[in-house]
Amino acid sequence: MDIRHLKYFIEVSRFSSFTRAADHLFVTQPTISKMIKNLEEELGVELFDRSRKQLVLTDAGRVILDQAQTIDKAFDNLQTELDDLIGLQKGHIRIGLPPIMDADQFIRILGEFHQLYPNITFQLIENGTRKIEEDIINDNLDVGIAVLPTEEEEFHHFSFMKEELRVVVPPSHKLASRKQIKLEELSDESFILFNKDFALNERIRSACKEAGFLPQVVSESSQWDFIGKMITADLGISILPYSVSKLLKEDVRIIKVVKPVIEWDLAIIWRKNHYLSFATKEWLKFTQERLMEDTSE
């Protein structure tokens, strides 16, 4: 038995299909079937119940899958650490980004890093803060951008942007001519919010509760540009970060919120007590330095 046997077994379990696993691994279906059969013979147990239309793990298969995944992860970590040890400046970084942010500054810094380390590749995955935190904990992401506060026991963080949220209304709205507004004045409004995967959803709901009312939410979305379109269609109003509200192409009015002022604090987060690859550590160091330079200018 070698690591390939375990990797093939994990993929067949994942897809519940020899054919789909073979396609994913770029091998033939007979090759992967033979690997699984050899593994079963070596272990002396059947790993799959083949009597059904879809492959199902046997009791022994479920036990072995847990151990196989542990061994596979340990092997990947070993290879990563060995690459770092011999000074190979290459790697792959998985970064979670909230689609709510203005990413221009971040992408520019990413490009500068790529010029220094052209062999390091990136995977950018858009999600809300809650999903980004979950994916970092489950080792599906290396780092991410999230709205503070996060779980201090789980994450290190580096804050790089703090700004106010603003009310965004269509030009025809009765409040469109106002320069600022108390949050309590919005108690009868219909709200369009980012969905519950976003920490901003909870932040706005908590601020409204503090102002003495619960927001009447008519719609939720994961895309700021779609929220802009719904605002101009008179479906409701929204509360957005100021930098995001300025990105809207639609004709809208942006109003300062007072009593209470609502803010958001964006930060890069990564997991505590968890191995970081050379590529990820270098990227964190470089990005923090560049963000600090931008802030001081």
Side-chain angles (χ1 to χ4, degrees):
M1 176 172 56
D2 61 31
I3 193 67
R4 283 186 305 157
H5 286 87
L6 298 181
K7 285 184 177 293
Y8 286 10
F9 170 56
I10 291 169
E11 291 303 305
V12 174
S13 303
R14 175 185 170 193
F15 290 104
S16 298
S17 164
F18 285 105
T19 302
R20 291 177 62 194
D23 290 341
H24 182 73
L25 292 166
F26 301 104
V27 298
T28 64
Q29 192 270 340
T31 296
I32 204 167
S33 296
K34 183 178 179 181
M35 280 282 195
I36 298 301
K37 189 65 176 177
N38 290 344
L39 183 60
E40 288 178 322
E41 291 175 354
E42 184 170 349
L43 294 172
V45 294
E46 288 191 356
L47 301 175
F48 295 100
D49 179 358
R50 296 171 172 80
S51 65
R52 310 184 190 186
K53 288 185 177 180
Q54 188 176 41
L55 286 176
V56 177
L57 284 168
T58 62
D59 290 342
R62 283 191 291 270
V63 171
I64 294 168
L65 176 62
D66 287 340
Q67 296 301 316
Q69 290 172 331
T70 300
I71 294 169
D72 184 50
K73 185 175 292 293
F75 186 84
D76 287 343
N77 287 341
L78 172 62
Q79 189 62 58
T80 300
E81 294 194 38
L82 287 174
D83 286 348
D84 290 353
L85 186 63
I86 62 177
L88 294 178
Q89 295 186 9
K90 65 180 182 180
H92 182 70
I93 309 173
R94 302 164 300 171
I95 305 171
L97 294 175
I100 188 173
M101 66 176 287
D102 178 2
D104 287 353
Q105 178 192 35
F106 179 81
I107 297 299
R108 173 174 53 80
I109 294 174
L110 201 63
E112 293 171 0
F113 182 84
H114 179 67
Q115 295 301 312
L116 291 176
Y117 299 99
N119 294 322
I120 292 177
T121 58
F122 299 92
Q123 182 179 7
L124 304 180
I125 302 172
E126 285 193 327
N127 263 314
T129 288
R130 300 293 174 245
K131 186 64 167 62
I132 288 172
E133 291 175 340
E134 178 185 325
D135 283 346
I136 292 175
I137 290 174
N138 292 332
D139 200 29
N140 296 318
L141 290 174
D142 301 303
V143 296
I145 293 178
V147 179
L148 296 181
T150 60
E151 294 291 336
E152 291 190 3
E153 294 182 358
E154 292 284 355
F155 303 106
H156 294 293
H157 73 267
F158 172 78
S159 177
F160 68 91
M161 178 188 288
K162 190 171 185 178
E163 66 175 346
E164 294 182 1
L165 306 187
R166 302 292 175 90
V167 173
V168 184
V169 303
S172 59
H173 196 278
K174 62 184 179 181
L175 300 173
S177 62
R178 296 277 293 274
K179 299 297 183 185
Q180 64 180 38
I181 189 171
K182 295 179 181 178
L183 193 58
E184 65 185 26
E185 296 179 71
L186 304 177
S187 59
D188 294 329
E189 297 291 337
S190 296
F191 282 78
I192 304 166
L193 301 181
F194 280 90
N195 65 42
K196 293 179 178 62
D197 284 338
F198 293 79
L200 205 55
N201 182 294
E202 182 181 340
R203 179 71 51 83
I204 293 169
R205 289 176 183 271
S206 296
C208 291
K209 187 176 181 180
E210 182 183 338
F213 71 98
L214 296 177
Q216 302 174 33
V217 180
V218 67
S219 183
E220 293 182 344
S221 176
S222 63
Q223 301 294 326
W224 56 264
D225 53 346
F226 193 59
I227 289 178
K229 294 181 187 301
M230 287 193 284
I231 292 171
T232 55
D234 289 325
L235 288 174
I237 67 169
S238 191
I239 298 179
L240 300 172
Y242 183 52
S243 60
V244 174
S245 67
K246 292 190 297 181
L247 293 175
L248 296 176
K249 298 178 181 179
E250 290 75 22
D251 184 17
V252 296
R253 300 296 180 266
I254 302 169
I255 308 169
K256 183 179 178 66
V257 187
V258 296
K259 296 184 179 179
V261 171
I262 317 173
E263 295 180 327
W264 79 335
D265 192 355
L266 278 182
I268 297 173
I269 65 171
W270 62 100
R271 192 175 176 188
K272 289 183 176 180
N273 305 316
H274 187 72
Y275 178 77
L276 290 177
S277 68
F278 167 83
T280 303
K281 285 185 286 190
E282 282 297 305
W283 179 83
L284 279 170
K285 179 183 176 182
F286 180 87
T287 302
Q288 289 182 51
E289 289 174 351
R290 292 295 290 112
L291 287 171
M292 289 178 67
E293 289 173 8
D294 288 353
T295 303
S296 63
E297 291 176 357

